[in-house]
Amino acid sequence: MENNKINIHFLGAAGTVTGSKYLVDTGDKKILIDCGLFQGLKELRLKNWEYPPVEVSKIDVVLLTHGHMDHTGYLPRLVKQGFNGPIYGTGPTLDIAEIILNDSAKIQEQEAERANKESYSKHSPAEPLYDLNDVEKTIPHFKTIPQSQWIPLFDGIKVRFQYSGHILGATYIELDVHGKRFVFSGDIGRTHDLLLYPPLKPKKADVLFIESTYGGRFHPDEVEALPQIEKLVNDTINRGGSLFIPSFSVERAQLMMLILWRLLKEKKIPKVQMIMDSPMGGNVLELFHQTKDWHRLSDDDCNEMCSHFTVVSSYRETMELRTDNKPKIVIAGSGMLTGGRMLNYLETQAQNPNNTLLFVGYQAEGTRGRKLLEGDKELKVYGKWVAFKMEVAEIEGLSAHADHAELMDWMGKIKNGPERIFIVHGEKEGAEALQKGIKETYGWEAEIPQLYSIENV
């Protein structure tokens, strides 16, 4: 196989943060790296309903860097469109993907049902992008792959999954195609993380795909965030309000639980009800017990931490809690307010100026979270506009993504100068900042591909 016959199709997370999908077409084989859902801007979300500009039934295999929605959330649609091959990922990645996809399907079914009942959708009838039945057909394709081992995929093609922090099970992917090394960063974690270990680093990359979520931006240390959280909790509770934390149910929610538990243990915050409202989050807590090699938390710490939280699983409990005005702390999905149970709380609590909404992760362009951070005073929830009067706070040091310096450092062990570098999974400003940093630090040229572009490598 001649190297010049390898084409890369940028099917997502190119020129934007979400929807990660990169198709490697060797001529003989078609390998899809990640299969994420577009989130944020409406024009992007609408692309989830379109067929990708490739023949889905001819894709041979899917390789997953990690379990987040913007890397796995399109899988049931892909299967629905005719994909019939294996889906490879680490054990925790596939477990998380199954939890996330089931939760996503359930939420979509509920929202479609509510939209039809209350007639606020433009579509009649409103339908979910996929349902639980579609997820059920997807899970049998899952095949667990060990980390840090070269695995033959096809003749002359092998793959290795390497620990990258970020969330449980997350890896960067090294794909050797007839001697040419492709490296897909996925989402790179923090060098110093309270829950996870530092990412491993690639030593060789002929073609590098590097995420740029926080290109040009620098995080404070996580420990610096603790006094800020302490102050926010105390200020909010003292004025009779509640603290609401939209959080990705995988890893960030558990990190927030760990921080709040430690503050409570040290008597730095008052003892109020602390709620983890996510059946998915509860499942991930169980996963922490099963994946000791992937994180720093001991079983005893995990058990003690969980004992201080009410883990809400039923929708009925959510609907009861959302009208309870007693001061409390609520962690619920989704992290960017694109859906999930936090919207139920905001529907009833957004008008209370004593409450605080705390963002602890990235807010993509076009999401409700980004709009509120930018000062919006109205919030659209389930087809209705709700006045938004809560205090808004953001703590960037808790992001699960490497910042600019950590991204630059992650590339530092690559011995050869890559032939091609593609900057992906970032908005324009972040991607351009990383492009400039790579040139200044390593002297390497890097490109920022556009959505649906095709590159010959």
Side-chain angles (χ1 to χ4, degrees):
M1 177 63 57
E2 294 295 325
N3 284 340
N4 61 12
K5 290 186 179 177
I6 300 174
N7 287 323
I8 309 295
H9 299 251
F10 292 88
L11 304 177
T16 185
V17 172
T18 64
S20 287
K21 299 182 207 71
Y22 311 107
L23 185 70
V24 179
D25 184 350
T26 70
D28 290 331
K29 299 297 177 185
K30 292 178 173 58
I31 302 163
L32 185 65
I33 313 293
D34 283 337
C35 190
L37 210 61
F38 287 110
Q39 298 168 301
L41 294 171
K42 186 176 182 180
E43 65 195 67
L44 287 174
R45 298 197 312 271
L46 289 174
K47 293 185 185 301
N48 291 323
W49 294 89
E50 301 170 3
Y51 274 72
V54 295
E55 290 186 70
V56 170
S57 63
K58 292 190 175 177
I59 297 173
D60 294 286
V61 64
V62 176
L63 309 176
L64 301 177
T65 59
H66 66 288
H68 270 155
M69 178 69 77
D70 58 336
H71 293 259
T72 66
Y74 195 80
L75 286 169
R77 290 287 290 184
L78 198 77
V79 171
K80 211 171 181 177
Q81 292 163 356
F83 172 74
N84 196 34
I87 298 168
Y88 289 116
T90 65
T93 288
L94 297 181
D95 288 340
I96 288 167
E98 182 172 357
I99 293 167
I100 280 182
L101 293 178
N102 276 305
D103 192 67
S104 169
K106 198 177 296 181
I107 288 170
Q108 289 181 62
E109 287 179 357
Q110 288 169 347
E111 290 186 353
E113 185 181 344
R114 185 169 181 174
N116 290 323
K117 188 177 176 182
E118 298 179 14
S119 302
Y120 63 76
S121 174
K122 293 177 184 175
H123 306 282
S124 184
E127 294 180 351
L129 184 65
Y130 51 82
D131 57 25
L132 286 165
N133 186 48
D134 295 321
V135 175
E136 194 177 325
K137 292 175 181 173
T138 302
I139 304 306
H141 293 267
F142 285 6
K143 309 292 178 192
T144 302
I145 205 163
Q147 61 169 322
S148 298
Q149 291 181 30
W150 282 108
I151 307 294
L153 276 183
F154 308 105
D155 186 29
I157 302 175
K158 60 183 179 178
V159 67
R160 182 165 65 174
F161 289 61
Q162 298 274 56
Y163 187 95
S164 67
H166 186 59
I167 67 169
L168 288 177
T171 58
Y172 66 88
I173 290 176
E174 296 174 307
L175 182 69
D176 261 28
V177 182
H178 307 293
K180 178 171 276 196
R181 177 77 52 88
F182 293 77
V183 176
F184 298 84
S185 74
D187 287 349
I188 301 164
R190 308 292 306 280
T191 305
H192 303 288
D193 190 294
L194 293 175
L195 272 180
L196 303 175
Y197 300 109
L200 297 177
K201 300 172 185 178
K203 294 178 181 175
K204 178 187 175 185
D206 296 311
V207 182
L208 174 65
F209 298 74
I210 177 77
E211 67 120 325
S212 58
T213 310
Y214 277 93
R217 296 166 71 179
F218 299 85
H219 300 316
D221 288 339
E222 279 185 341
V223 289
E224 292 179 31
L226 302 188
Q228 297 175 60
I229 294 170
E230 179 186 337
K231 186 175 187 307
L232 274 170
V233 171
N234 285 309
D235 288 352
T236 303
I237 302 302
N238 288 340
R239 65 175 181 253
S242 293
L243 178 66
F244 295 93
I245 308 172
S247 180
F248 299 104
S249 297
V250 182
E251 207 269 330
R252 284 303 93 176
Q254 289 74 44
L255 175 64
M256 289 310 302
M257 290 174 70
L258 177 64
I259 289 171
L260 291 165
W261 166 59
R262 285 183 177 172
L263 289 174
L264 184 66
K265 199 174 176 183
E266 294 165 9
K267 299 193 165 124
K268 291 182 176 177
I269 60 173
K271 191 168 186 179
V272 294
Q273 186 179 21
M274 298 197 294
I275 296 162
M276 161 70 141
D277 190 339
S278 168
M280 178 165 68
N283 288 332
V284 173
L285 282 174
E286 182 55 38
L287 193 58
F288 265 81
H289 286 293
Q290 300 166 12
T291 53
K292 295 173 189 175
D293 293 344
W294 290 85
H295 64 83
R296 303 176 188 270
L297 204 57
S298 72
D299 272 351
D300 288 345
D301 281 351
C302 197
N303 288 330
E304 191 181 339
M305 175 182 81
C306 293
S307 72
H308 288 279
F309 282 82
T310 302
V311 178
V312 173
S313 55
S314 81
Y315 194 63
R316 177 185 56 78
E317 285 179 272
T318 301
M319 300 309 277
E320 288 172 3
L321 283 166
R322 75 185 196 136
T323 55
D324 174 15
N325 293 317
K326 288 194 290 255
K328 58 186 167 295
I329 299 170
V330 179
I331 303 170
S334 70
M336 296 187 286
L337 298 180
T338 53
R341 294 194 179 186
M342 184 54 77
L343 293 181
N344 291 294
Y345 289 95
L346 295 185
E347 189 177 18
T348 58
Q349 296 292 332
Q351 295 181 54
N352 185 349
N354 291 327
N355 292 334
T356 299
L357 184 65
L358 170 61
F359 291 106
V360 294
Y362 187 78
Q363 304 301 307
E365 188 181 7
T367 60
R368 291 182 183 92
R370 172 71 78 88
K371 289 175 183 176
L372 291 176
L373 273 178
E374 291 173 346
D376 273 19
K377 298 301 178 188
E378 276 191 315
L379 178 70
K380 194 173 186 181
V381 183
Y382 303 123
K384 295 176 289 195
W385 286 100
V386 177
F388 185 84
K389 298 178 182 176
M390 297 168 74
E391 181 181 328
V392 177
E394 180 186 25
I395 298 178
E396 285 193 358
L398 297 173
S399 173
H401 284 270
D403 68 5
H404 185 90
E406 290 166 324
L407 289 170
M408 297 303 302
D409 180 65
W410 183 79
M411 292 179 273
K413 287 196 180 298
I414 298 174
K415 304 297 183 194
N416 62 312
E419 297 168 20
R420 304 285 291 275
I421 299 174
F422 297 108
I423 299 175
V424 295
H425 205 283
E427 292 174 12
K428 185 174 184 286
E429 190 177 331
E432 288 178 349
L434 191 64
Q435 183 182 43
K436 182 181 177 187
I438 291 171
K439 178 66 174 174
E440 289 175 351
T441 305
Y442 299 113
W444 301 339
E445 299 294 338
E447 307 162 58
I448 304 172
Q450 292 306 301
L451 189 60
Y452 298 145
S453 62
I454 302 171
E455 292 288 338
N456 182 278
V457 295

